[in-house]
Amino acid sequence: MTASNFKLLYDIYHRRLAFVDLSFKRYLHNIINWDARIIGIMGARGAGKTTLLLQHIKETHKNVDEALWISLDNLWFKTHDVDELVDYLYTHGVTTIYFDEIHKLDNWATHIKNYYDNYPNLKIVYTGSSILEIDNSKVDLSRRQSLYTLEAMSFREYLEYEGIMAEPAIKLVDLLGNHVDIAMKISIRTKILKHFEDYLDHGCYPFYKEASEDFHMRLASTVNLAIESDIPAVTDVSYSTIEKTKKLMMIVAQNTPFEPTITKLNAALETTRDNCLKMLYTLDRAKVILLLTRELKNYKHLVSPEKIYLNNTNIMAALAPTNEAGTKRETFFANQLSAIATVQTARKGDFVIDGKYLFEVGGPNKNFDQIKDIPDSYLAIDNIETGYGNRIPLYLFGFLY
């Protein structure tokens, strides 16, 4: 292999790098240990994984050609070998290789392990679908890599991205104990409830700026692509299963929050209980829906979910725009909390967080009747700028990451 063989890859890399903006970085950028030799970044389509890599390259590599960013869904790899490319790059001075869409590479984990073992000091950073699961019984990457998940944008990040305000993330325990002061400082700086409405409609994915009026259409296409392209790349599924998964997705979208009867779903999809649960949990891992269970969620022990939401309010706006305000509130709360804590359904109230905190979510007239006298219980209230006691403005839960 000679340099002319991969000129196309460098041309694409240089072009993408030239247009990268460093003015806003996702929350994960400052959390990642960039010194690790293998870094894996998982996340949903559209969350900003590619931009994250390119920003890091542009900011840290004085000579950008000591690194190479490549997307493994490029058609170039249909006729070229990845291993040969890595060997050439290593022997010609490249110190870090950034792989996008690692799930497009067959037996990707074995390849990554071999690069780690066979090329001393070579750094590998890769991104992949959130559906990916690493089977450490076959390839032990656990002690070799640092693994991260990039969530969709929080409300806090949206405000910074829009140039409205830049606030540090708030720990949940600090929010619960000091929400009045926090809300007062935020609400005097801007009309926060207007921005909150905008975020719920279109603020979860950075590409809303370039998509503009086509955002919801493009987001619906992104969800469809995650089902049609990412799931088959990661799991061995048939065309029939993919079609049933898309049907399942729309059943959930039209009925969210969905309290499923698995036997009825089985019948609607003409499949078995096990296959139905596998489809549901795959959509959950793809971060297009959000499954909530009474017990801790375990992807190796699939139990029937108590409730199913769409993953975030932007997907709601794209796929189920007629959903009521209560559903939107609960979806926002579950989405933001699931990024930093465990979220489960509750026997009384709406959600249990980290097995300790009980929350009821509602509008300004919501009261404590359902959860009164229960320790560590709170109300997350929409359409208020500031709260009091254990009544906390709903929007503040968008400042947790």
Side-chain angles (χ1 to χ4, degrees):
M1 182 175 285
T2 64
S4 61
N5 292 117
F6 53 86
K7 181 180 181 300
L8 174 65
L9 297 182
Y10 266 102
D11 288 344
I12 295 171
Y13 166 54
H14 291 154
R15 192 178 307 124
R16 293 293 299 269
L17 203 58
F19 284 91
V20 168
D21 183 5
L22 298 177
S23 62
F24 170 78
K25 300 183 185 72
R26 293 296 318 278
Y27 75 97
L28 194 62
H29 189 274
N30 293 329
I31 296 175
I32 293 171
N33 173 20
W34 293 104
D35 293 328
R37 272 197 62 199
I38 301 181
I39 299 169
I41 303 169
M42 307 302 185
R45 279 185 173 269
K49 299 185 298 296
T50 299
T51 300
L52 184 70
L53 297 191
L54 293 171
Q55 285 177 327
H56 178 70
I57 295 170
K58 193 168 187 177
E59 191 173 57
T60 60
H61 290 274
K62 293 182 179 180
N63 178 1
V64 296
D65 286 343
E66 290 181 353
L68 179 64
W69 167 88
I70 50 179
S71 179
L72 289 166
D73 67 351
N74 192 307
L75 290 175
W76 188 90
F77 291 101
K78 297 297 183 183
T79 56
H80 295 82
D81 184 75
V82 178
D83 292 344
E84 289 184 17
L85 172 64
V86 170
D87 187 74
Y88 183 92
L89 295 174
Y90 180 77
T91 57
H92 286 74
V94 170
T95 60
T96 311
I97 303 176
Y98 296 81
F99 289 110
D100 237 342
E101 308 271 3
I102 196 71
H103 52 280
K104 297 295 184 179
L105 178 63
D106 290 339
N107 300 314
W108 66 272
T110 300
H111 285 274
I112 296 297
K113 177 184 178 298
N114 288 340
Y115 302 152
Y116 178 94
D117 292 340
N118 298 335
Y119 299 100
N121 302 322
L122 178 66
K123 287 186 177 181
I124 299 291
V125 184
Y126 68 85
T127 73
S129 166
S130 53
I131 304 171
L132 280 181
E133 284 189 305
I134 300 172
D135 187 350
N136 283 318
S137 64
K138 295 179 181 178
V139 179
D140 183 11
L141 283 178
S142 61
R143 60 187 175 86
R144 295 175 169 86
Q145 71 172 348
S146 298
L147 193 60
Y148 302 90
T149 298
L150 181 65
E151 303 289 348
M153 280 208 306
S154 67
F155 180 43
R156 182 193 70 83
E157 289 184 288
Y158 168 78
L159 293 171
E160 183 178 347
Y161 193 38
E162 283 288 306
I164 297 164
M165 66 172 64
E167 287 288 317
I170 306 168
K171 292 182 179 180
L172 179 59
V173 66
D174 294 333
L175 175 59
L176 299 181
N178 198 33
H179 65 87
V180 175
D181 286 345
I182 295 170
M184 288 175 61
K185 291 175 182 177
I186 290 172
S187 61
I188 63 172
R189 295 171 61 185
T190 187
K191 301 296 184 184
I192 194 67
L193 297 183
K194 170 61 171 67
H195 300 309
F196 186 50
E197 290 177 5
D198 292 340
Y199 168 81
L200 296 179
D201 179 73
H202 59 255
C204 295
Y205 301 90
F207 69 86
Y208 76 83
K209 280 194 175 182
E210 65 178 73
S212 189
E213 294 180 358
D214 293 334
F215 172 68
H216 291 139
M217 180 180 67
R218 284 182 54 178
L219 180 54
S221 296
T222 298
V223 170
N224 190 60
L225 192 60
I227 297 172
E228 288 188 340
S229 178
D230 293 349
I231 293 177
V234 174
T235 60
D236 184 16
V237 294
S238 65
Y239 173 79
S240 174
T241 298
I242 292 300
E243 291 302 301
K244 290 178 180 179
T245 303
K246 289 196 285 186
K247 182 178 180 180
L248 175 60
M249 180 71 200
M250 291 313 299
I251 290 174
V252 171
Q254 292 165 7
N255 295 279
T256 187
F258 191 34
E259 298 182 14
T261 302
I262 296 299
T263 54
K264 291 183 179 179
L265 267 183
N266 299 344
L269 298 172
E270 298 179 338
T271 189
T272 65
R273 178 184 184 278
D274 285 349
N275 283 339
C276 183
L277 286 175
K278 286 178 182 176
M279 284 186 270
L280 283 171
Y281 276 79
T282 298
L283 289 171
D284 180 79
R285 284 164 46 211
K287 296 186 179 295
V288 293
I289 67 173
L290 181 58
L291 301 183
L292 294 185
T293 55
R294 190 67 51 80
E295 58 188 89
L296 286 177
K297 192 159 52 182
N298 186 335
Y299 291 111
K300 294 184 178 179
H301 175 59
L302 308 185
V303 299
S304 298
E306 299 284 334
K307 278 189 176 182
I308 307 175
Y309 294 87
L310 293 177
N311 182 269
N312 59 64
T313 58
N314 288 189
I315 295 178
M316 283 180 61
L319 300 183
T322 59
N323 267 305
E324 62 177 18
T327 301
K328 188 182 294 187
R329 294 164 182 155
E330 292 178 19
T331 300
F332 166 78
F333 183 89
N335 168 265
Q336 300 287 285
L337 270 294
S338 65
I340 58 97
T342 60
V343 181
Q344 297 165 262
T345 56
R347 297 187 186 280
K348 289 185 177 181
D350 292 322
F351 305 103
V352 176
I353 306 303
D354 282 343
K356 178 180 180 180
Y357 305 111
L358 178 64
F359 283 93
E360 183 81 13
V361 180
N365 296 324
K366 191 74 176 178
N367 58 46
F368 274 95
D369 286 352
Q370 294 187 45
I371 55 174
K372 63 181 179 180
D373 302 325
I374 299 177
D376 294 313
S377 60
Y378 301 85
L379 297 181
I381 303 298
D382 195 13
N383 287 320
I384 61 171
E385 290 186 330
T386 60
Y388 61 89
N390 285 13
R391 291 173 58 90
I392 304 174
L394 178 63
Y395 73 83
L396 281 182
F397 293 94
F399 283 75
L400 296 173
Y401 71 93

